[in-house]
Amino acid sequence: MTAPVTPDVLLIGAGDLGAAVGLRLAERGHGVLALRRNASAVPPPLVGRAVDLTAGSPDLSDVRPRFVVVALTARPRTEESYRATYVDGMARALDALPVPPERAVLVSSTAVHGSAELPGIQDETSPPAPADGPGRMLVAAEEAFHARIPHGTVLRLSGLYGGSSTRLLDQVRAGKVTDPHRWTNRIHREDAAAAVVHLLTTAAAPEQLYLGTDDVPAQMGDVAAFLAERLDAPAPPPADPTRGHGKRLSNARLRSTGWVPSRPSYREGYAGLGPT
């Protein structure tokens, strides 16, 4: 029987993305302790610990992680829920650590970036401009994270796909794509998990902030047309670049670290899709 590995990784949050990160680290020989409300939902060989960070501070006096990943999920999408989970809940977990980790990554969101008509490219130097309460709470969480772990890294992810959600596919099948001109940014879940692991384990010390997105911002009409062709669904309204709005994001800084997305655009990410 194989002896258990002493946890040297702490996952604060172990939903779909957090668990994917943990499993990749476990494959590298790390022991992973995952905090989640329902510890039984944590996949082995990760070790789950039942914790509700919105209710109180956890006892982490026995934990000495080299690596920490904060990958929380808040529901519903309200300012109050995001404050309770991302700001207060994260702070309780980090404050409970006896010693600071060697490296830490906070998974945030590109929702903190503002939208515009005919948008230019935004990167890590672009100031946050959240449009709503949840976005403002994500900015507050980033600030609270760096106040506690100044050498930590924030990874702002664009729209995740490749998991269990079929919302976009359902909209395309139903012919309900109503804003074809909007610029969108996305990253496959596997590439997002790989980015977190890369930032934790790369030889060079990472910077404080990265945008995690694929290589190609795309207008919704172009993405929907690609999907409709593969799903044998109604053709959506065409995208018009002269009417584009939203945001266009660059992953150049993250790519400069050696991270390479396995799905550089939606075309590779949805390549195997077919009618159902």
Side-chain angles (χ1 to χ4, degrees), residues 137-155:
M137 290 304 101
L138 288 171
V139 173
E142 294 178 4
E143 293 170 349
F145 173 78
H146 275 138
R148 288 163 172 79
I149 308 179
H151 61 283
T153 297
V154 171
L155 177 62

Side-chain angles (χ1 to χ4, degrees), residues 182-193:
R182 179 171 61 88
W183 283 98
T184 63
N185 305 268
R186 58 185 46 76
I187 184 170
H188 195 279
R189 287 179 186 273
E190 291 301 315
D191 286 329

Side-chain angles (χ1 to χ4, degrees), residues 246-269:
K247 48 194 160 188
R248 300 164 61 208
L249 305 173
S250 168
N251 65 9
R253 178 182 288 183
L254 184 57
R255 264 189 166 273
S256 73
T257 67
W259 171 83
V260 178
S262 62
R263 299 154 180 90
S265 78
Y266 64 88
R267 294 179 178 275
E268 293 80 15

Side-chain angles (χ1 to χ4, degrees), residues 12-13 35 37 51-58 72 84 88-90 92-93:
I12 302 174
L35 307 184
R37 282 191 181 93
V51 170
D52 182 357
L53 294 174
T54 66
S57 298
L72 294 163
D88 298 338
M90 178 197 66
R92 291 186 182 108

